[in-house]
Amino acid sequence: MKFKTNARCAGCKSAIMGAVTNKFPNMKWSMDLDDTDKVLECHGIPDDEEKAAQIIKTIEETGFKGSWIR
């Protein structure tokens, strides 16, 4: 699953990655700050609306915006 974020720098990326890794430790995460959408990607799981909502909530709890890219 992929998520558009409003991260701007390595510090933003670190905050978001730390939060999602802590909340969902069994998932593999990556984030591309070079992409215009600052994409956060969760690898190896199928699209799931409930899980996407949980991930967006976690992003928002760090003070950033997130939206699921379907």
Side-chain angles (χ1 to χ4, degrees), residues 10-36:
C12 301
K13 176 180 177 177
S14 178
I16 293 170
M17 292 289 288
V20 295
T21 301
N22 186 47
K23 183 105 177 206
F24 307 99
N26 296 326
M27 297 179 184
K28 183 177 177 188
W29 298 94
S30 66
M31 188 171 208
D32 185 0
L33 288 179
D34 293 329
D35 188 295
T36 56

